[in-house]
Amino acid sequence: MRKFYLTSLLLLLSLETSFAQDPQFFTGFFPEAALTKKLKNDQKIIFKIEHQDIFYNNSGDQKDELQFTHYRTDLMGFYDFKLNPSKSIAFGVFHRIQKGANANRIIQQFAAVNRLRGLKLAHRFRTDQTFTKGDPLEIRLRYRLATEIPLSGSTLDPGEHYLLLSNEPIFSLQGGEFEIENRLVLSLGKLIASSQKLEWSLDYRTDKFIQEGFRTRLWAKVGYFYSF
């Protein structure tokens, strides 16, 4: 637990300078839940829901005012199958409910897990195509690197806590314009049982590195994950 609080403090201190320099910033609450149904031959189906509400936004009509504004609700479904014990492929569909036109997305994914001197590293490569009425097709390439660190011993057992750190750069092309986004997430998780886990996270996102209007977002996340 001390490791998580110390790491969180250092992360927040490092972000404080970014917030001071960048006038476009908002923050809010981000609950998520996922349900995984295991099938035969190392196959599984995953259903996931994510919801985002903004608490503070220093731009727009409610600039510098506390608020409770719905931002997005995402519904996702994946079909995943293993190529071998450490590699898998998944295909997914996605529907986003948001202000204005809703969006639909098709997702392709390759994931791999390896160990480096006892450190577990999870690699995830994704491509997706997003369709929004009135907007050009958006095509993205994503790579996430994540590591999970048990806080009690070298292995994770039910009832124990763990740290999860991930970073994901996202490259997108829409209407002939190229853009970059980055997502940095620090999580404290608890393996409730072999089939259940709960995570509390800080999710820091930056985008519009190339186009005008560089933006930062900080989400307070809580996630529940169940498999059967």
Side-chain angles (χ1 to χ4, degrees):
M1 293 290 287
R2 291 181 180 178
K3 293 180 182 178
F4 175 76
Y5 293 133
L6 178 60
T7 307
S8 300
L9 177 61
L10 292 175
L11 177 62
L12 289 173
L13 290 175
S14 67
L15 300 183
E16 183 179 358
T17 303
S18 298
F19 298 156
Q21 294 175 349
D22 190 332
Q24 299 191 45
F25 164 71
F26 62 82
T27 186
F29 182 52
F30 187 155
E32 62 178 345
L35 179 66
T36 301
K37 170 61 177 177
K38 298 178 181 178
L39 306 174
K40 296 180 180 180
N41 301 322
D42 291 325
Q43 303 174 62
K44 57 186 177 182
I45 298 176
I46 305 167
F47 298 98
K48 188 175 184 181
I49 182 170
E50 298 178 347
H51 182 84
Q52 299 175 347
D53 286 307
I54 297 176
F55 291 167
Y56 171 82
N57 187 353
N58 72 347
S59 61
D61 296 336
Q62 296 176 288
K63 183 176 181 180
D64 294 330
E65 295 181 4
L66 293 177
Q67 56 186 278
F68 189 85
T69 305
H70 174 256
Y71 184 56
R72 290 172 175 170
T73 298
D74 296 336
L75 306 172
M76 288 166 271
F78 290 90
Y79 169 70
D80 182 288
F81 60 94
K82 285 189 176 183
L83 300 175
N84 58 45
S86 63
K87 297 179 177 64
S88 66
I89 289 178
F91 299 95
V93 292
F94 169 107
H95 179 68
R96 169 168 288 166
I97 302 169
Q98 60 187 354
K99 184 178 180 180
N102 295 340
N104 294 290
R105 179 177 296 162
I106 302 172
I107 303 168
Q108 306 82 38
Q109 175 179 300
F110 171 77
V113 177
N114 58 34
R115 295 185 180 275
L116 181 63
R117 296 183 179 179
L119 184 65
K120 180 181 178 181
L121 297 176
H123 308 269
R124 190 182 73 186
F125 299 87
R126 272 187 182 177
T127 57
D128 59 50
Q129 303 81 43
T130 303
F131 305 86
T132 307
K133 185 177 180 179
D135 292 337
L137 170 68
E138 182 182 14
I139 301 173
R140 302 192 304 175
L141 173 65
R142 310 167 56 169
Y143 167 65
R144 188 186 72 174
L145 176 64
T147 183
E148 180 183 288
I149 306 172
L151 296 182
S152 302
S154 58
T155 59
L156 184 62
D157 298 313
E160 296 181 346
H161 292 85
Y162 60 92
L163 284 179
L164 183 65
L165 179 64
S166 70
N167 192 67
E168 182 179 28
I170 304 172
F171 307 93
S172 69
L173 181 64
Q174 184 177 30
E177 294 185 346
F178 179 71
E179 190 51 84
I180 300 174
E181 177 181 353
N182 193 75
R183 300 180 181 180
L184 177 65
V185 182
L186 173 65
S187 304
L188 171 65
K190 181 177 181 179
L191 185 64
I192 302 173
S194 58
S195 60
Q196 299 181 69
K197 61 182 180 179
L198 188 64
E199 292 180 357
W200 301 267
S201 308
L202 291 174
D203 184 324
Y204 177 60
R205 303 184 178 189
T206 51
D207 63 359
K208 297 188 178 181
F209 284 88
I210 298 177
Q211 306 302 321
E212 184 178 355
F214 178 76
R215 180 176 62 168
T216 62
R217 293 158 288 167
L218 180 64
W219 296 106
K221 296 178 67 175
V222 58
Y224 175 74
F225 308 91
Y226 179 75
S227 62
F228 64 99

